[in-house]
Amino acid sequence: MPRTVETLPAPDRVAPEEPEGRSAPRAAGPVPSPRRAELVNAAARLFSERGYHGTSMQHLGRALGLQRGSLYAHIGSKEDLLFDVVDGGADRFLSMARRAASSGGPAAVRLRALLVGHVNTAAQHLDAATVFLNEWRYLSPTPRAEIQAKRDLYEGLVRRIISDGIASGEFSPGVDAAMAGRLVLSAGNWIYTWYRPDGAMSAAAIGMELSDLILDGLTKEGPP
Amino acid sequence: MPRTVETLPAPDRVAPEEPEGRSAPRAAGPVPSPRRAELVNAAARLFSERGYHGTSMQHLGRALGLQRGSLYAHIGSKEDLLFDVVDGGADRFLSMARRAASSGGPAAVRLRALLVGHVNTAAQHLDAATVFLNEWRYLSPTPRAEIQAKRDLYEGLVRRIISDGIASGEFSPGVDAAMAGRLVLSAGNWIYTWYRPDGAMSAAAIGMELSDLILDGLTKEGPP
DNA sequence: GGTCTCCTAACAAACGGTCGTTTGGCCCAG
DNA sequence: CTGGGCCAAACGACCGTTTGTTAGGAGACC
């Protein structure tokens, strides 16, 4: 029995998955055709397996049973697909993190909620997460800046939780919030390289164990 | 003043960089031509910036002031270049880790030496490290298996240090060695995405801070 | 010293193929 | 009868690699 589940209360579901005003109207943007969604899914899978530059329109067409030229009935360019996959991944991580960060309670609880949520999100959309982390840099400057902004927001949320914890005395005052934030992001972002859905541990369990290791390091006082 | 340097003794140079018997004879393999070394360096840089599939022989040729066909006087194929870069990166990490792991002393000291060495190695050869971590999966099966073996060796060294620490009572018995090893690898392997040589912190300082955070988590007893 | 031969490294050109994208026409569901 | 979805074909560009050739230097021999 690992000590995991005892060190801190579990986040037990961070929030009920956003009711958020804008549900019925669906104001902006054309309703995405189901065929286009299929295409984006296939792109997530293929880009994550073969890389963006290693995936051709031929590959994508074959995945849907179409000729490569036919794909242009649904997209403007190959890069549109990359952006859709990457942006979708960014939004999932970001909205999860916002829920975790704003959930109130001790910083340790919020940080755990964020890390567990991160691992869960990566696990549930492993392809998109892989593309989000690996291939976003191949976007051309304008869309890449858009993604960079979301990454910065995400990192800011993590760092804020840690600073809060230091300010409130929960975390050791010697902790460098920037470095601790990077440690959390490292643990979360490296997951996609080794997590496999058929592995021994569930994503939630992994998130809990990582939280334990990291939170112990943050709360421990230095030696006398 | 961060508490960093006080928690544990510094590794203060792990070992004197291997004199190792085989220095004069240089027994096997043809002496690599200087031009070929230039080419591998350029490949490391370009592959790290644009990805393997995003780099053409044209790009590589331009970097050396040659026609793309002329490169085949020095290499057998584009993949040879990828392998040289990746394998060189793997060897650097592995030999550093072997020195750290076999340096004797407490597990905490060895783990710190390994992590500091890891960050230093990644920083000194940032391009090769990036390619090693990002592009190695595009190798074809046989060379990829060779790299995989070295990665497994590396992870084994990390995990062994942690198990030693648990067995000796240095680390908390509740620690999951596999997960803690992955946390160390995550911290070290994510570095290349954010470390920049002109940044505020030196690689060694980063390694020390990360070691502090992780070691505190490993040595701490759970709450009563 | 001359010159002949070999070797290396490079070039220009071409190979067959694939790239991402565009176009024009056909089919069928609304 | 209109229009979205698809195909077949073509576009020009570029891909990784191979080929035939050449300039220049290093020795070997006369």
Side-chain angles (χ1 to χ4, degrees):
Chain A
M1 161 89 57
R3 64 182 173 153
T4 303
V5 291
E6 306 170 318
T7 49
L8 276 174
D12 77 332
R13 233 32 181 316
V14 179
E17 191 64 38
E18 102 167 58
E20 263 196 30
R22 52 190 288 286
S23 46
R26 204 62 169 106
V31 175
S33 74
R35 210 79 173 122
R36 161 139 193 166
E38 271 183 78
L39 185 44
V40 173
N41 278 345
R45 186 172 52 82
L46 285 167
F47 290 170
S48 81
E49 280 171 13
R50 321 177 49 102
Y52 175 63
H53 291 302
T55 303
S56 70
M57 299 304 290
Q58 195 105 250
H59 293 130
L60 288 161
R62 203 175 307 140
L64 297 243
L66 295 181
Q67 300 290 346
R68 65 190 196 278
S70 309
L71 303 176
Y72 288 83
H74 307 283
I75 58 167
S77 73
K78 189 189 176 189
E79 192 181 356
D80 287 359
L81 282 174
L82 178 58
F83 182 80
D84 275 20
V85 174
V86 169
D87 194 53
D91 283 344
R92 270 192 285 265
F93 280 111
L94 199 47
S95 71
M96 177 280 301
R98 279 201 243 259
R99 258 177 284 143
S102 67
S103 62
V109 173
R110 279 179 285 152
L111 191 60
R112 178 186 296 274
L114 189 141
L115 188 48
V116 171
H118 186 115
V119 177
N120 272 328
T121 304
Q124 281 162 27
H125 306 274
L126 195 52
D127 291 337
T130 301
V131 175
F132 168 54
L133 293 168
N134 261 338
E135 313 289 328
W136 74 288
R137 61 203 179 104
Y138 301 125
L139 288 166
S140 44
T142 309
R144 188 172 61 234
E146 198 173 325
I147 302 299
Q148 180 67 60
K150 294 188 180 180
R151 294 177 74 101
D152 291 346
L153 273 173
Y154 190 85
E155 181 164 357
L157 287 168
V158 175
R159 206 173 294 192
R160 172 69 76 93
I161 296 178
I162 296 172
S163 317
D164 285 356
I166 298 172
S168 75
E170 265 186 272
F171 297 155
S172 162
V175 166
D176 175 346
M179 193 61 59
R182 281 193 276 255
L183 178 61
V184 172
L185 290 177
S186 300
N189 287 342
W190 197 245
I191 284 280
Y192 78 92
T193 64
W194 60 270
Y195 173 82
R196 290 296 168 262
D198 52 351
M201 290 183 75
S202 73
I206 292 170
M208 291 297 283
E209 282 215 27
L210 288 175
S211 309
D212 287 344
L213 287 167
I214 292 174
L215 285 171
D216 281 358
L218 294 178
T219 50
K220 172 163 191 166
E221 298 302 320
Chain B
M1 162 87 57
R3 64 180 174 154
T4 303
V5 292
E6 306 170 318
T7 49
L8 275 175
D12 78 331
R13 234 28 180 322
V14 179
E17 191 65 37
E18 101 167 59
E20 265 196 28
R22 53 190 288 286
S23 45
R26 203 66 169 102
V31 175
S33 76
R35 212 76 172 122
R36 161 138 192 166
E38 270 184 77
L39 186 43
V40 174
N41 278 346
R45 186 171 52 83
L46 286 167
F47 290 170
S48 82
E49 280 172 12
R50 324 177 47 103
Y52 175 64
H53 291 301
T55 303
S56 70
M57 298 305 289
Q58 194 105 247
H59 293 129
L60 288 161
R62 204 176 305 138
L64 298 240
L66 295 182
Q67 300 289 345
R68 65 191 197 280
S70 309
L71 303 176
Y72 287 84
H74 307 282
I75 58 168
S77 72
K78 189 188 175 190
E79 192 181 357
D80 287 359
L81 282 175
L82 178 58
F83 181 80
D84 275 20
V85 174
V86 168
D87 194 53
D91 283 344
R92 270 193 284 266
F93 280 112
L94 199 48
S95 71
M96 177 281 302
R98 279 200 244 257
R99 258 177 286 143
S102 67
S103 64
V109 172
R110 279 178 285 151
L111 191 60
R112 178 187 297 275
L114 190 141
L115 188 48
V116 171
H118 186 115
V119 177
N120 272 328
T121 303
Q124 281 162 27
H125 307 273
L126 195 51
D127 292 336
T130 301
V131 175
F132 167 55
L133 293 168
N134 260 339
E135 313 290 328
W136 74 289
R137 61 202 180 106
Y138 300 124
L139 288 166
S140 44
T142 308
R144 187 172 62 235
E146 198 173 327
I147 302 300
Q148 180 67 60
K150 296 189 179 181
R151 296 177 73 99
D152 290 348
L153 273 173
Y154 190 86
E155 181 164 358
L157 287 169
V158 175
R159 206 173 293 191
R160 171 70 75 95
I161 297 178
I162 296 172
S163 317
D164 285 356
I166 298 173
S168 75
E170 268 187 88
F171 297 156
S172 162
V175 166
D176 175 346
M179 193 60 60
R182 281 193 276 255
L183 178 61
V184 172
L185 291 176
S186 300
N189 287 342
W190 196 245
I191 285 279
Y192 79 91
T193 64
W194 60 270
Y195 173 82
R196 290 297 168 261
D198 53 349
M201 288 183 76
S202 72
I206 292 170
M208 291 296 281
E209 282 215 27
L210 288 175
S211 307
D212 287 344
L213 287 168
I214 292 174
L215 284 171
D216 281 358
L218 293 178
T219 51
K220 171 162 192 166
E221 299 301 322

